[in-house]
Amino acid sequence: QLSEVHSKMTKALLVYNLNLLVKAGVVRRTSDEKFRFCHPQIHQAAYNTIPGDKNERQLIHLQLGYILQSIFDSDHGVFFSMLRQLNLGSSCLDDQRIKLAKLNLEAGKQCSLQTSPLLAVEYLQTARDLLGSDEEQWTNHYDLALQLSNMAAEMYWSCGRLSGVKFWADEVSNRAVSVHDSLSSKLILMQA
């Protein structure tokens, strides 16, 4: 059913429908051109009308994320909404988990540039979770795990959370295959 919507949906049609919801008072348009439900209870009521169990809802989130990704391919204003939907449906993924982890890394980078280190850490942790167990991460996705861990240490340092800095810097020190790979986290740890 959602795939039918995806094949017929265009950006113009989506915006038109969202504007109808604005006129009806269900959603509002924010100053940064995003659409938000007017009240959390309206959001919850709308969410509760989605049929199915938790797994079916996660699949719907995943499909919505893909729809947003295809319609708003280069629109950075929709990036975080798209990523949120994909993350909510991530348990339905198998072979796309690495790609989603990389999108979360990109979100972490964007948040760090916007001086939102704690939000960056959330995206980085989501990315790490998508890579599997600690052993899997470092064995199968070494470069990505290294990048995520170094950045997490840096973000914790940015907001003064020394326990987070130590955890991630120790993770890199214990897993790094070379001194060069552990250098960044050691420098961050020395600054803390």
Side-chain angles (χ1 to χ4, degrees):
Q1 190 178 30
L2 203 53
S3 58
E4 281 180 37
V5 172
H6 182 234
S7 65
K8 296 176 184 174
M9 186 66 71
T10 64
K11 183 177 181 179
L13 182 60
L14 180 61
V15 171
Y16 172 79
N17 286 323
L18 287 169
N19 283 324
L20 288 177
L21 292 171
V22 169
K23 287 180 185 175
V26 176
V27 298
R28 62 183 166 77
R29 194 173 208 152
T30 63
S31 61
D32 57 352
E33 294 300 306
K34 293 181 183 175
F35 292 91
R36 301 267 188 239
F37 282 97
C38 289
H39 193 278
Q41 289 179 332
I42 294 174
H43 179 228
Q44 190 60 46
Y47 193 74
N48 288 338
T49 64
I50 299 171
D53 62 9
K54 182 179 177 184
N55 291 335
E56 289 174 305
R57 286 184 178 181
Q58 288 174 343
L59 186 58
I60 289 171
H61 283 295
L62 189 62
Q63 291 173 329
L64 284 172
Y66 286 136
I67 290 170
L68 288 173
Q69 190 175 34
S70 68
I71 294 174
F72 299 97
D73 189 35
S74 60
D75 186 344
H76 290 289
V78 179
F79 176 74
F80 288 100
S81 297
M82 175 267 307
L83 186 58
R84 181 175 185 276
Q85 293 300 319
L86 292 174
N87 284 339
L88 287 170
S90 65
S91 65
C92 300
L93 289 175
D94 288 323
D95 58 342
Q96 295 290 313
R97 295 176 80 80
I98 305 311
K99 185 176 180 181
L100 184 54
K102 290 177 181 178
L103 287 173
N104 277 280
L105 172 60
E106 178 59 34
K109 288 177 181 178
Q110 288 186 30
C111 289
S112 73
L113 294 174
Q114 298 169 5
T115 60
S116 302
L118 289 178
L119 189 54
V121 166
E122 286 182 37
Y123 285 111
L124 298 171
Q125 185 59 56
T126 299
R128 288 287 310 269
D129 293 344
L130 287 163
L131 297 179
S133 69
D134 285 348
E135 199 59 44
E136 282 180 280
Q137 293 171 25
W138 289 98
T139 302
N140 300 330
H141 312 288
Y142 178 83
D143 291 335
L144 186 55
L146 180 66
Q147 198 173 359
L148 290 166
S149 299
N150 277 327
M151 189 168 187
E154 183 180 339
M155 291 301 99
Y156 274 113
W157 177 82
S158 294
C159 57
R161 299 212 173 161
L162 301 182
S163 61
V165 174
K166 182 166 177 20
F167 174 83
W168 290 106
D170 286 347
E171 177 82 3
V172 171
S173 292
N174 293 333
R175 303 285 186 157
V177 295
S178 70
V179 173
H180 180 267
D181 286 351
S182 65
L183 191 59
S184 178
S185 65
K186 287 182 180 188
L187 289 172
I188 293 168
L189 193 56
M190 286 178 12
Q191 292 175 353

